[in-house]
Amino acid sequence: MSDLILGRLLLRETFSLSESAGGGRTMSLQGKEVTPLISRDELVERHEGVLGLIGALVPARWEEKSERDGYYTITDASCDYTDRARQRIGWTTWKLTLLRHGADSDVDLESRLTGAVRKNDFSLGGERWHAPPIGTYGYHTGPTLPSVMTRTTTDGAITVYRGIPAGVSPRWGCAVRDYMRGRARLRSVGAERVGVGYRVAAADWELSNGLVRVRPLLTGGSLEVAAFTGGVWRPRAWWVEVGGVQVAQWESATLLRNNAEQVILRLTASRSPVGRVVLDLTLRRGSRMVEGYLQRGDSGTLAVYLAVAEVLTNNTSYLVRSTDDAAGDRVALGSARTYTAHASGGLTKASTTALDFWLGVVAGGSSAAAGDTALDLRNQYVGAMPEVTAAVRR
């Protein structure tokens, strides 16, 4: 059985396809996924994954029809689902329409950095930075060249471009097979999720970009945030606190955005006797930090701090450990807004309905590479911008 890979979605390769060239070259595909050839969970995941592709720019790879490999936009998607539980069989029949941009040798990817510098209380100008996939080549920003640094991820070394000139949308080339390397991703119940329509288990999920990994904790904290340094994951537990009460368990998890560049996950929990707390977590490709936005319905105190206390130095817009830990790193966090340093190593804000923050580490401690210092992480947080990736002919 041959495979068709559309972005992060694996499907059974179809025996035939149809193409047309009016108003752009389009391709129509249809196929069928069947259980018990694959598990029922895989069947549901592929069904939801097909529907989750609508509007996405994807690298497409055929195992047998490799001459059709290239970059496509999914313009239409549909699925028919049948589940005969008593007979232990089920299937989904899917249909996709793809607009072909071209082979990877014909196409540039263009990152359109959108938005403005994050509003902040510290007169920070932020930094325009970008991390395309591992294996990218020919990165072009016109006559003004950005600076370059590398970070070692679980997928390999990713290049981060810093100081991208204003008003420029970088262009770069990337082999289809490399596009998903170093991506932001979310896994839940053992599978990486495609799109935003699939249910995420509140107590069983994992955000990762190969540099930062975030998980829920059932005891001893609200979140586990791990940094990949020295070839291993190094976790720390964090408490999220609302009105003096620690969030011990998240009751729901919702995917708000899920593509290779950025994943946003929304967590909610009840407050006693009534109300809720909402936490949005954002993880970007190539980033050393996870971003958080914590909200409560009424005005009061919000806080995020280490479950195992560490002594951190407060530098007005961020906090950082003053000495290297046992792994040679230094935990760091900050906010775009004024805050009060928490005694356990964290930040707190009174009389507010929202608290923004970032959590990360200075990888390499006192010998950290440029771009991984707490000061640089702060500037990248304030200047970090969502990106829209488009395919353009060379």
Side-chain angles (χ1 to χ4, degrees):
M1 184 180 296
S2 302
D3 293 334
L4 165 62
I5 303 175
L6 300 175
R8 66 184 88 206
L9 179 63
L10 174 67
L11 295 170
R12 185 168 60 92
E13 183 173 345
T14 58
F15 293 105
S16 62
L17 53 82
S18 61
E19 293 179 290
S20 61
R25 188 164 174 177
T26 61
M27 176 185 297
S28 296
L29 299 175
Q30 58 183 349
K32 192 172 187 177
E33 311 294 321
V34 180
T35 186
L37 293 179
I38 58 176
S39 71
R40 186 180 182 280
D41 286 343
E42 289 175 303
L43 181 69
V44 174
E45 174 63 22
R46 295 186 187 187
H47 176 87
E48 294 291 343
V50 166
L51 299 176
L53 287 175
I54 187 70
L57 171 70
V58 296
R61 297 171 60 192
W62 279 262
E63 188 172 344
E64 293 188 353
K65 294 182 281 293
S66 58
E67 71 281 355
R68 293 295 183 269
D69 288 2
Y71 288 98
Y72 296 78
T73 294
I74 309 298
T75 59
D76 193 31
S78 64
C79 282
D80 294 322
Y81 180 68
T82 302
D83 187 357
R84 296 181 176 175
R86 291 184 179 181
Q87 298 174 349
R88 297 183 180 179
I89 61 173
W91 60 87
T92 182
T93 303
W94 53 265
K95 296 180 182 179
L96 288 168
T97 303
L98 294 73
L99 174 64
R100 180 176 173 84
H101 300 291
D104 53 24
S105 58
D106 303 327
V107 169
D108 273 335
L109 285 304
E110 184 176 81
S111 292
R112 298 167 182 170
L113 305 180
T114 59
V117 171
R118 194 187 302 267
K119 190 173 182 179
N120 64 87
D121 294 333
F122 311 109
S123 300
L124 301 174
E127 178 180 324
R128 286 170 58 91
W129 67 277
H130 178 221
I134 296 171
T136 293
Y137 63 88
Y139 195 86
H140 177 67
T141 58
T144 303
L145 303 179
S147 61
V148 176
M149 67 167 296
T150 59
R151 290 172 171 154
T152 302
T153 78
T154 55
D155 293 341
I158 194 167
T159 301
V160 179
Y161 296 88
R162 304 180 59 200
I164 296 171
V168 172
S169 293
R171 289 191 176 186
W172 38 280
C174 184
V176 167
R177 66 180 178 275
D178 289 333
Y179 185 84
M180 300 307 291
R181 296 176 63 203
R183 68 190 178 277
R185 69 204 81 176
L186 182 133
R187 295 179 62 86
S188 182
V189 197
E192 183 175 349
R193 298 306 177 200
V194 179
V196 296
Y198 198 89
R199 183 179 65 86
V200 178
D204 186 359
W205 53 265
E206 177 184 292
L207 275 174
S208 177
N209 64 359
L211 291 164
V212 180
R213 187 189 69 196
V214 189
R215 294 172 171 173
L217 280 176
L218 301 181
T219 58
S222 307
L223 298 170
E224 177 196 271
V225 181
F228 187 74
T229 66
V232 298
W233 287 109
R234 306 185 188 279
R236 279 182 169 87
W238 295 84
W239 280 114
V240 172
E241 189 176 281
V242 181
V245 179
Q246 296 169 334
V247 178
Q249 182 179 353
W250 301 104
E251 294 171 298
S252 74
T254 307
L255 264 173
L256 301 183
R257 181 170 179 176
N258 185 20
N259 55 38
E261 293 85 13
Q262 183 186 58
V263 176
I264 303 176
L265 180 69
R266 172 166 291 177
L267 305 173
T268 60
S270 297
R271 295 179 58 202
S272 179
V274 68
R276 68 169 60 178
V277 55
V278 177
L279 174 61
D280 291 349
L281 296 174
T282 298
L283 190 59
R284 306 174 194 271
R285 183 169 54 194
S287 179
R288 268 280 180 210
M289 74 190 90
V290 60
E291 304 166 33
Y293 191 70
L294 181 64
Q295 299 177 81
R296 55 183 291 173
D298 57 341
S299 180
T301 302
L302 295 171
V304 57
Y305 54 89
L306 287 162
V308 178
E310 298 184 41
V311 178
L312 306 185
T313 300
N314 188 3
N315 293 276
T316 306
S317 62
Y318 68 93
L319 301 97
V320 63
R321 183 180 167 125
S322 58
T323 59
D324 294 357
D325 61 21
D329 302 322
R330 301 186 183 193
V331 66
L333 74 157
S335 175
R337 296 298 193 175
T338 55
Y339 59 83
T340 300
H342 193 282
S344 293
L347 49 89
T348 182
K349 192 174 181 71
S351 302
T352 188
T353 58
L355 173 66
D356 78 280
F357 60 89
W358 58 270
L359 309 175
V361 301
V362 175
S366 58
S367 59
D372 273 343
T373 67
L375 179 64
D376 289 323
L377 293 179
R378 176 201 71 176
N379 285 327
Q380 290 171 15
Y381 170 68
V382 172
M385 288 173 260
E387 54 181 282
V388 176
T389 302
V392 292
R393 295 284 292 184
R394 287 189 182 138

